[in-house]
Amino acid sequence: STDTSKTEYAPEEDEATQAYIQESDEDLAGFVLDYVKKDTALKGAFFMEDPAARKVLKLSLETAPKKSAAGPDNTKVMEAVFKDPGGKKYSVLFHIRSAGFGGIDIFKIELKAGTKPVQESKPKKK
């Protein structure tokens, strides 16, 4: 009978929804750093869109990510600090997920919500 070979779920789907990232924070940080270095070497800088300001930022890495935070659906989030040519700093979030066969993938990169560039405050004229 063919009934014994049927399963109630597709094994591929089950594995995809249950895939956990096994890498340590150091491995994840190394993966993000490697990605940033390759992207910077290719483009001359790390470019990020700032949707609030409606412009593209030309950034360089200031502080590498160290710790990961848990994200939705078994993902991890790592935060790195970048600066623009004028010295303004921006927090950038790298969202990482399992890519199957033990691999990992950066699937989303965004400016941290609520992050405002740090600007020098100018004294007010009286």
Side-chain angles (χ1 to χ4, degrees), residues 53-89:
R54 294 185 176 179
K55 65 179 182 175
V56 174
L57 304 170
K58 183 179 180 180
L59 304 173
S60 60
L61 184 65
E62 174 79 8
T63 307
K66 291 179 180 52
K67 291 216 170 254
S68 66
D73 300 321
N74 302 324
T75 62
K76 297 275 186 178
V77 180
M78 297 209 80
E79 182 176 340
V81 178
F82 289 79
K83 67 179 178 179
D84 69 8
K88 295 177 187 170
K89 294 183 181 182

Short mmCIF file of all heavy atoms in Angstrom, two decimals, residues 53-89:
data_model
loop_
_atom_site.label_atom_id
_atom_site.label_comp_id
_atom_site.label_asym_id
_atom_site.label_seq_id
_atom_site.Cartn_x
_atom_site.Cartn_y
_atom_site.Cartn_z
N ALA A 53 15.13 60.78 5.92
CA ALA A 53 15.76 61.94 5.27
C ALA A 53 15.66 61.85 3.74
O ALA A 53 16.02 62.80 3.05
CB ALA A 53 17.22 62.05 5.69
N ARG A 54 15.22 60.71 3.25
CA ARG A 54 15.09 60.46 1.81
C ARG A 54 16.41 60.69 1.09
O ARG A 54 16.48 61.41 0.08
CB ARG A 54 13.99 61.32 1.20
CG ARG A 54 12.63 60.95 1.70
CD ARG A 54 11.57 61.72 1.00
NE ARG A 54 10.26 61.27 1.45
CZ ARG A 54 9.13 61.76 1.03
NH1 ARG A 54 9.13 62.72 0.15
NH2 ARG A 54 7.99 61.30 1.48
N LYS A 55 17.47 60.08 1.63
CA LYS A 55 18.77 60.17 0.97
C LYS A 55 19.55 58.90 1.24
O LYS A 55 19.23 58.12 2.14
CB LYS A 55 19.54 61.40 1.45
CG LYS A 55 19.93 61.38 2.92
CD LYS A 55 20.71 62.64 3.26
CE LYS A 55 21.14 62.61 4.72
NZ LYS A 55 21.99 63.74 5.05
N VAL A 56 20.60 58.71 0.46
CA VAL A 56 21.48 57.56 0.63
C VAL A 56 22.70 58.04 1.41
O VAL A 56 23.31 59.05 1.07
CB VAL A 56 21.89 56.97 -0.74
CG1 VAL A 56 22.92 55.87 -0.55
CG2 VAL A 56 20.67 56.45 -1.48
N LEU A 57 23.03 57.31 2.45
CA LEU A 57 24.17 57.65 3.30
C LEU A 57 25.40 56.88 2.85
O LEU A 57 25.33 55.69 2.56
CB LEU A 57 23.85 57.29 4.76
CG LEU A 57 22.59 57.90 5.35
CD1 LEU A 57 22.28 57.26 6.70
CD2 LEU A 57 22.74 59.40 5.49
N LYS A 58 26.52 57.56 2.80
CA LYS A 58 27.80 56.93 2.48
C LYS A 58 28.52 56.75 3.81
O LYS A 58 28.95 57.72 4.43
CB LYS A 58 28.60 57.84 1.54
CG LYS A 58 29.91 57.25 1.09
CD LYS A 58 30.61 58.20 0.12
CE LYS A 58 31.93 57.62 -0.34
NZ LYS A 58 32.62 58.53 -1.27
N LEU A 59 28.64 55.49 4.26
CA LEU A 59 29.11 55.21 5.62
C LEU A 59 30.39 54.39 5.64
O LEU A 59 30.70 53.67 4.70
CB LEU A 59 28.01 54.46 6.39
CG LEU A 59 26.64 55.12 6.45
CD1 LEU A 59 25.63 54.19 7.09
CD2 LEU A 59 26.72 56.44 7.20
N SER A 60 31.08 54.50 6.78
CA SER A 60 32.23 53.63 7.06
C SER A 60 32.02 53.03 8.45
O SER A 60 31.41 53.65 9.32
CB SER A 60 33.55 54.41 6.99
OG SER A 60 33.55 55.46 7.94
N LEU A 61 32.52 51.82 8.63
CA LEU A 61 32.32 51.11 9.90
C LEU A 61 33.07 51.81 11.03
O LEU A 61 34.25 52.10 10.91
CB LEU A 61 32.79 49.66 9.76
CG LEU A 61 32.55 48.76 10.97
CD1 LEU A 61 31.06 48.57 11.21
CD2 LEU A 61 33.21 47.41 10.77
N GLU A 62 32.37 52.07 12.11
CA GLU A 62 32.95 52.70 13.30
C GLU A 62 33.15 51.65 14.40
O GLU A 62 34.23 51.51 14.94
CB GLU A 62 32.01 53.82 13.79
CG GLU A 62 32.40 54.47 15.10
CD GLU A 62 33.53 55.48 14.96
OE1 GLU A 62 33.93 55.81 13.84
OE2 GLU A 62 34.00 55.94 16.01
N THR A 63 32.09 50.91 14.74
CA THR A 63 32.15 49.90 15.79
C THR A 63 31.52 48.60 15.28
O THR A 63 30.36 48.60 14.85
CB THR A 63 31.37 50.36 17.04
OG1 THR A 63 31.84 51.66 17.43
CG2 THR A 63 31.56 49.41 18.20
N ALA A 64 32.29 47.54 15.33
CA ALA A 64 31.82 46.24 14.85
C ALA A 64 30.77 45.65 15.80
O ALA A 64 30.78 45.96 16.99
CB ALA A 64 33.00 45.28 14.74
N PRO A 65 29.88 44.81 15.27
CA PRO A 65 28.89 44.17 16.14
C PRO A 65 29.57 43.19 17.09
O PRO A 65 30.58 42.59 16.74
CB PRO A 65 27.97 43.45 15.16
CG PRO A 65 28.79 43.24 13.94
CD PRO A 65 29.77 44.38 13.89
N LYS A 66 29.02 43.05 18.30
CA LYS A 66 29.61 42.13 19.28
C LYS A 66 28.61 41.09 19.75
O LYS A 66 28.93 39.93 19.88
CB LYS A 66 30.16 42.92 20.46
CG LYS A 66 31.38 43.76 20.08
CD LYS A 66 31.91 44.56 21.25
CE LYS A 66 33.11 45.38 20.90
NZ LYS A 66 33.00 46.24 19.76
N LYS A 67 27.39 41.50 20.06
CA LYS A 67 26.37 40.58 20.58
C LYS A 67 25.18 40.55 19.65
O LYS A 67 24.83 41.55 19.04
CB LYS A 67 25.91 41.03 21.97
CG LYS A 67 26.96 40.87 23.04
CD LYS A 67 26.28 40.47 24.33
CE LYS A 67 27.30 40.05 25.35
NZ LYS A 67 27.37 38.65 25.57
N SER A 68 24.56 39.39 19.58
CA SER A 68 23.35 39.28 18.77
C SER A 68 22.14 39.32 19.68
O SER A 68 22.21 38.99 20.86
CB SER A 68 23.36 37.98 17.97
OG SER A 68 23.27 36.87 18.84
N ALA A 69 21.03 39.76 19.12
CA ALA A 69 19.75 39.76 19.82
C ALA A 69 18.82 38.82 19.06
O ALA A 69 18.95 38.66 17.85
CB ALA A 69 19.18 41.17 19.87
N ALA A 70 17.89 38.22 19.76
CA ALA A 70 16.93 37.35 19.11
C ALA A 70 15.96 38.17 18.28
O ALA A 70 15.46 39.19 18.73
CB ALA A 70 16.17 36.53 20.15
N GLY A 71 15.72 37.72 17.05
CA GLY A 71 14.76 38.35 16.17
C GLY A 71 13.56 37.45 15.99
O GLY A 71 13.51 36.35 16.56
N PRO A 72 12.59 37.86 15.20
CA PRO A 72 11.40 37.03 14.97
C PRO A 72 11.74 35.79 14.13
O PRO A 72 12.69 35.81 13.35
CB PRO A 72 10.46 37.97 14.22
CG PRO A 72 11.35 38.99 13.57
CD PRO A 72 12.53 39.13 14.49
N ASP A 73 10.98 34.73 14.30
CA ASP A 73 11.10 33.50 13.49
C ASP A 73 12.53 32.93 13.50
O ASP A 73 13.08 32.62 12.44
CB ASP A 73 10.65 33.76 12.04
CG ASP A 73 9.21 34.20 11.97
OD1 ASP A 73 8.38 33.68 12.73
OD2 ASP A 73 8.91 35.08 11.14
N ASN A 74 13.11 32.80 14.67
CA ASN A 74 14.43 32.17 14.85
C ASN A 74 15.55 32.91 14.12
O ASN A 74 16.52 32.31 13.70
CB ASN A 74 14.40 30.70 14.39
CG ASN A 74 13.37 29.90 15.14
OD1 ASN A 74 13.14 30.13 16.33
ND2 ASN A 74 12.72 28.99 14.46
N THR A 75 15.41 34.22 13.97
CA THR A 75 16.48 35.01 13.35
C THR A 75 17.30 35.68 14.45
O THR A 75 16.92 35.68 15.61
CB THR A 75 15.90 36.10 12.41
OG1 THR A 75 15.10 37.00 13.17
CG2 THR A 75 15.09 35.47 11.28
N LYS A 76 18.42 36.24 14.06
CA LYS A 76 19.28 37.00 14.98
C LYS A 76 19.48 38.39 14.39
O LYS A 76 19.46 38.58 13.17
CB LYS A 76 20.65 36.33 15.13
CG LYS A 76 20.61 34.94 15.73
CD LYS A 76 20.62 35.02 17.23
CE LYS A 76 20.73 33.62 17.82
NZ LYS A 76 20.79 33.64 19.24
N VAL A 77 19.69 39.36 15.26
CA VAL A 77 19.93 40.73 14.83
C VAL A 77 21.25 41.20 15.46
O VAL A 77 21.46 41.04 16.66
CB VAL A 77 18.78 41.67 15.27
CG1 VAL A 77 19.05 43.10 14.81
CG2 VAL A 77 17.44 41.17 14.74
N MET A 78 22.12 41.75 14.63
CA MET A 78 23.38 42.31 15.12
C MET A 78 23.41 43.78 14.76
O MET A 78 22.98 44.18 13.69
CB MET A 78 24.58 41.59 14.50
CG MET A 78 24.64 40.12 14.88
SD MET A 78 26.30 39.46 14.93
CE MET A 78 26.90 40.03 16.49
N GLU A 79 23.92 44.58 15.71
CA GLU A 79 23.97 46.03 15.52
C GLU A 79 25.42 46.49 15.40
O GLU A 79 26.26 46.13 16.21
CB GLU A 79 23.31 46.71 16.72
CG GLU A 79 23.24 48.20 16.62
CD GLU A 79 22.50 48.84 17.79
OE1 GLU A 79 21.72 48.15 18.47
OE2 GLU A 79 22.71 50.04 18.01
N ALA A 80 25.68 47.30 14.38
CA ALA A 80 27.00 47.89 14.18
C ALA A 80 26.81 49.40 14.08
O ALA A 80 25.74 49.87 13.70
CB ALA A 80 27.66 47.35 12.92
N VAL A 81 27.85 50.15 14.42
CA VAL A 81 27.78 51.61 14.33
C VAL A 81 28.66 52.06 13.17
O VAL A 81 29.81 51.64 13.04
CB VAL A 81 28.24 52.27 15.65
CG1 VAL A 81 28.22 53.79 15.53
CG2 VAL A 81 27.36 51.81 16.81
N PHE A 82 28.08 52.90 12.33
CA PHE A 82 28.77 53.46 11.17
C PHE A 82 28.80 54.96 11.31
O PHE A 82 28.02 55.54 12.06
CB PHE A 82 28.02 53.09 9.88
CG PHE A 82 28.13 51.65 9.50
CD1 PHE A 82 27.36 50.68 10.12
CD2 PHE A 82 29.01 51.25 8.50
CE1 PHE A 82 27.46 49.34 9.77
CE2 PHE A 82 29.10 49.91 8.14
CZ PHE A 82 28.33 48.96 8.77
N LYS A 83 29.71 55.60 10.56
CA LYS A 83 29.73 57.07 10.54
C LYS A 83 29.81 57.54 9.10
O LYS A 83 30.34 56.85 8.23
CB LYS A 83 30.87 57.63 11.39
CG LYS A 83 32.26 57.34 10.87
CD LYS A 83 33.32 57.96 11.75
CE LYS A 83 34.70 57.62 11.21
NZ LYS A 83 35.76 58.21 11.99
N ASP A 84 29.27 58.75 8.89
CA ASP A 84 29.33 59.34 7.55
C ASP A 84 30.58 60.22 7.46
O ASP A 84 31.29 60.41 8.47
CB ASP A 84 28.03 60.08 7.23
CG ASP A 84 27.82 61.35 8.05
OD1 ASP A 84 28.74 61.78 8.78
OD2 ASP A 84 26.72 61.92 7.97
N PRO A 85 30.90 60.74 6.27
CA PRO A 85 32.11 61.57 6.14
C PRO A 85 32.14 62.78 7.07
O PRO A 85 33.21 63.27 7.41
CB PRO A 85 32.09 62.00 4.66
CG PRO A 85 31.32 60.93 3.97
CD PRO A 85 30.26 60.49 4.97
N GLY A 86 30.96 63.25 7.51
CA GLY A 86 30.90 64.40 8.42
C GLY A 86 31.05 64.01 9.88
O GLY A 86 31.02 64.87 10.76
N GLY A 87 31.16 62.71 10.17
CA GLY A 87 31.35 62.25 11.54
C GLY A 87 30.06 61.89 12.27
O GLY A 87 30.10 61.49 13.43
N LYS A 88 28.90 62.01 11.62
CA LYS A 88 27.64 61.62 12.25
C LYS A 88 27.58 60.10 12.32
O LYS A 88 27.93 59.41 11.37
CB LYS A 88 26.45 62.15 11.45
CG LYS A 88 26.36 63.65 11.43
CD LYS A 88 25.20 64.10 10.57
CE LYS A 88 25.22 65.61 10.41
NZ LYS A 88 24.25 66.06 9.41
N LYS A 89 27.10 59.59 13.47
CA LYS A 89 27.05 58.15 13.68
C LYS A 89 25.64 57.60 13.49
O LYS A 89 24.66 58.27 13.84
CB LYS A 89 27.56 57.80 15.07
CG LYS A 89 29.03 58.11 15.25
CD LYS A 89 29.53 57.70 16.60
CE LYS A 89 31.01 58.06 16.73
NZ LYS A 89 31.56 57.63 18.01
#
